[in-house]
Amino acid sequence: MSVPMEELKLEIVNAATGKPLGARAVPGTDGALVVRDFPDDGPRPERWQLAPVRSAQDEQTYVIRDAAGGKVLDRLAATNGGVRRGDAADGRKSQQWRVVPVEGEAGLYFIESAADDTVLALDPDASDASDASDASDENGTPVVLRAYDEEAAGQRWRLVPVEPERVGDLVLRWAPLDHWNGRRSWRLARSAALRPVPGAIPSFSDMLLVLDRFGSDPEAGGWKSEGVAPSPDDRPGRWAELGARFLADTAGEGRADIIGLKPAKGAVTSAARGDGTFEEEERVLHPSAPSSGPADLWTLADMTGDGRPAAVVLAADGVRISPQGEDGTFEPAAGEPALKGFGHGDQAGGWLVDKHLRFLADTNGNGRLDVVGCHDDGVRISLQDEDGTFAPLADEPVLRAFGHGEEAGGWLVDRHPRFLADTTGDGRLDVVGCHDDGVWVSRQEEDGTFAEPLYVLDDFGTEQGWASADEHPRFLLRATGDGTADVVGFGPHGVVVARGLGDGTFEPSKLVLNDFGTAQGWTPEKHLRFLADVTGDGNPDIVGFGDEGVWVSHNLGDGTFDQARLVCRGFGYDDDAGAWRIGHHPRFLADVTGDGRLDIVGFGGPGVYVARNLHRRFRTR
């Protein structure tokens, strides 16, 4: 786990015993701290905050502060090496601590004194038991400072964020009240449901059914496949498979239309009317070609920078591109493909969805989208010329890394997310990936070649607890509006951010919000999590489709986020919120009215539902 920000409240839990650090059941005069059980009906364990201190040696140390009383973790004056809560004193070394990750153990730390390098540990003399988990008495096991011992389980600690402080109103319901004489009356009682609080930012309308098509119910079309959703940060190059439904601006008018990929007809659309509804008529946007197959992937992207989208298909024989005609439709590409590569057939390289990532991206800043892919042997790129043609793929990859094969690093689609982003501000896209051990970056040079990858951050990898791309989504985007790409991820304990330094490297990662992680109940089987600017201040906010509905954490503009607020009572997993299911009911954030605000759109059983973004004066901080 990344070191938490100072605003977050934590329990410090001993890894050997599973018990939190706190005061004795019967406090002594010295204020010594122990680890012990805290009964459910008694006082809760102490909650701590980490306040960073920058020392003269430029090393990162922390003051560990009691969140309730403001006292800090300190050494006892006695010679037994105990610790206590004491009054804070500026610059006192005995009150400064280093938080050192345990190598190879995700989420475990040594808490090391900055005064003499001893570490926080269970008192080995507190019991005759050989196992530290048995070392306890009714008042708890004393915590002391001891020399570092890598074999001592009692020296390892977990920093456990406390429950998130989500903001939502309880819903009242009528509950039956039975009487002794057999009569029944009714009373108002709280229910488990929540609703948005008045004045929640952003605010959304109620969820409305606006079109009885494109739903999973037979009467609404019987759509069964969710397909591959477009990227939450609107980057072109995410691909949709047969049966998918999504939204895109098909006419360049600033409104998102509905698109569905039908096996027999091809891509069909219902155009947005501009008022949050869609045309009843379903028209064919891009007919199926005779050569189309179920393994083809489809997207809509402005390939040349002229503001008009083109239909791009990854077919068996390569990349096929259909410009938009005057009538707004896209004719099937005939003849030879635009690029004989990146296709799923053997003649186009044998690119497979479960092994090989493919992107559309402007890699050199000329305003035209190129095709980029990570194959078995590494990264391959085809640049688009000014006349719209693509360079043939070279015999060798441009970078022997980030590929599926062992010789290129053994990168797996379901475990190792990879991105294209400008990490230096030079206008050229670099390759960034999260492998088992952390983040790797390969910078693009002025001549278009790529440097050997550098290991830049020991987080966001499977060895740090980020088990899979689905369970722990990670994004590379400008999270603060300062022009530098940052890493943002939904980790085991919440939201983690590593700020970009503008030179291809990143600051140490920090846990900035105790929400939207698996520890708070967010799972890929039930919940969606996105990053999108729904408040209109230019910074991406966190949007989560949870049990009760849609939750938003506002981006504060400094790499941190506000506590989550329930903004829409719908599109959620619970029955009260619509019983929306992953794999059946795609949900998106898109501007369907053209007013510049992202609305919520979902494809439910009966059809298409919309909740409009009503907030007009956006909050800034």
Side-chain angles (χ1 to χ4, degrees), residues 250-282:
T250 63
E253 296 178 349
R255 297 193 301 265
D257 308 306
I258 295 172
I259 299 175
L261 300 183
K262 281 192 170 181
K265 289 187 176 181
V268 298
T269 184
S270 288
R273 291 171 171 160
D275 59 357
T277 65
F278 300 89
E279 296 290 344
E280 293 289 338
E281 181 184 0
E282 180 184 293

Side-chain angles (χ1 to χ4, degrees), residues 165-301:
E165 300 173 6
R166 296 173 181 161
V167 181
D169 276 355
L170 290 172
V171 175
L172 296 178
R173 61 182 177 85
W174 288 104
L177 185 62
D178 295 322
H179 300 282
W180 64 271
N181 57 3
R183 300 188 65 178
R184 172 176 288 187
S185 62
W186 298 84
R187 61 184 175 84
L188 281 174
R190 289 186 176 185
S191 75
L194 293 174
R195 64 184 177 190
V197 296
I201 298 175
S203 58
F204 287 87
S205 69
D206 292 335
M207 184 179 73
L208 298 176
L209 179 66
V210 298
L211 185 65
D212 57 359
R213 296 176 181 267
F214 298 98
S216 56
D217 293 348
E219 298 81 5
W223 293 76
K224 298 300 182 184
S225 173
E226 183 169 337
V228 181
S231 171
D233 59 354
D234 296 328
R235 184 183 304 280
R238 289 294 184 97
W239 307 94
E241 61 190 17
L242 200 64
R245 293 152 288 168
F246 57 97
L247 292 109
D249 182 1
T250 63
E253 296 178 349
R255 297 193 301 265
D257 308 306
I258 295 172
I259 299 175
L261 300 183
K262 281 192 170 181
K265 289 187 176 181
V268 298
T269 184
S270 288
R273 291 171 171 160
D275 59 357
T277 65
F278 300 89
E279 296 290 344
E280 293 289 338
E281 181 184 0
E282 180 184 293
R283 63 188 181 92
V284 176
L285 185 69
H286 183 260
S288 292
S291 60
S292 296
D296 291 355
L297 298 178
W298 197 92
T299 194
L300 202 67

Side-chain angles (χ1 to χ4, degrees), residues 316-333:
D317 55 358
V319 181
R320 292 186 168 272
I321 300 176
S322 300
Q324 189 176 40
E326 293 298 326
D327 61 353
T329 63
F330 306 87
E331 292 296 327

Side-chain angles (χ1 to χ4, degrees), residues 481-505:
D482 61 0
T484 303
D486 311 302
V487 184
V488 183
F490 300 101
H493 295 277
V495 181
V496 178
V497 174
R499 298 280 302 273
L501 294 175
D503 59 358
T505 65

Side-chain angles (χ1 to χ4, degrees), residues 104-427:
E105 297 284 349
L108 294 184
Y109 294 90
F110 297 107
I111 299 178
E112 184 180 87
S113 172
D116 59 6
D117 298 339
T118 55
V119 298
L120 215 61
L122 298 185
D123 186 355
D125 301 325
S127 171
D128 293 332
S130 58
D131 189 334
S133 63
D134 294 329
S136 63
D137 57 28
E138 62 180 11
N139 229 348
T141 304
V143 177
V144 296
L145 289 166
R146 289 292 184 264
Y148 165 75
D149 179 0
E150 65 178 7
E151 302 297 328
Q155 295 186 359
R156 302 179 180 190
W157 303 85
R158 298 187 188 276
L159 307 178
V160 181
V162 301
E163 289 296 313
E165 300 173 6
R166 296 173 181 161
V167 181
D169 276 355
L170 290 172
V171 175
L172 296 178
R173 61 182 177 85
W174 288 104
L177 185 62
D178 295 322
H179 300 282
W180 64 271
N181 57 3
R183 300 188 65 178
R184 172 176 288 187
S185 62
W186 298 84
R187 61 184 175 84
L188 281 174
R190 289 186 176 185
S191 75
L194 293 174
R195 64 184 177 190
V197 296
I201 298 175
S203 58
F204 287 87
S205 69
D206 292 335
M207 184 179 73
L208 298 176
L209 179 66
V210 298
L211 185 65
D212 57 359
R213 296 176 181 267
F214 298 98
S216 56
D217 293 348
E219 298 81 5
W223 293 76
K224 298 300 182 184
S225 173
E226 183 169 337
V228 181
S231 171
D233 59 354
D234 296 328
R235 184 183 304 280
R238 289 294 184 97
W239 307 94
E241 61 190 17
L242 200 64
R245 293 152 288 168
F246 57 97
L247 292 109
D249 182 1
T250 63
E253 296 178 349
R255 297 193 301 265
D257 308 306
I258 295 172
I259 299 175
L261 300 183
K262 281 192 170 181
K265 289 187 176 181
V268 298
T269 184
S270 288
R273 291 171 171 160
D275 59 357
T277 65
F278 300 89
E279 296 290 344
E280 293 289 338
E281 181 184 0
E282 180 184 293
R283 63 188 181 92
V284 176
L285 185 69
H286 183 260
S288 292
S291 60
S292 296
D296 291 355
L297 298 178
W298 197 92
T299 194
L300 202 67
D302 179 6
M303 297 296 295
T304 61
D306 63 358
R308 295 180 64 83
V312 184
V313 179
L314 300 179
D317 55 358
V319 181
R320 292 186 168 272
I321 300 176
S322 300
Q324 189 176 40
E326 293 298 326
D327 61 353
T329 63
F330 306 87
E331 292 296 327
E336 294 294 314
L339 175 60
K340 293 182 179 180
F342 299 101
H344 53 84
D346 291 338
Q347 69 272 35
W351 293 73
L352 305 177
V353 171
D354 59 349
K355 290 184 177 181
H356 309 127
L357 295 178
R358 284 158 285 181
F359 307 90
L360 296 176
D362 181 7
T363 62
N364 52 18
N366 66 357
R368 293 176 173 270
L369 297 185
D370 312 306
V371 187
V372 184
C374 300
H375 207 277
D376 290 334
D377 53 359
V379 179
R380 293 181 171 271
I381 296 179
S382 175
L383 299 176
Q384 184 183 178
D385 297 330
E386 291 186 1
D387 59 359
T389 60
F390 290 84
L393 286 179
D395 293 335
E396 297 294 324
V398 297
L399 179 62
R400 288 194 175 275
F402 301 101
H404 180 79
E406 290 297 325
E407 70 278 7
W411 293 74
L412 305 178
V413 168
D414 60 346
R415 295 180 63 182
H416 307 134
R418 281 150 284 175
F419 311 93
L420 299 173
D422 181 5
T423 65
T424 62
D426 60 7

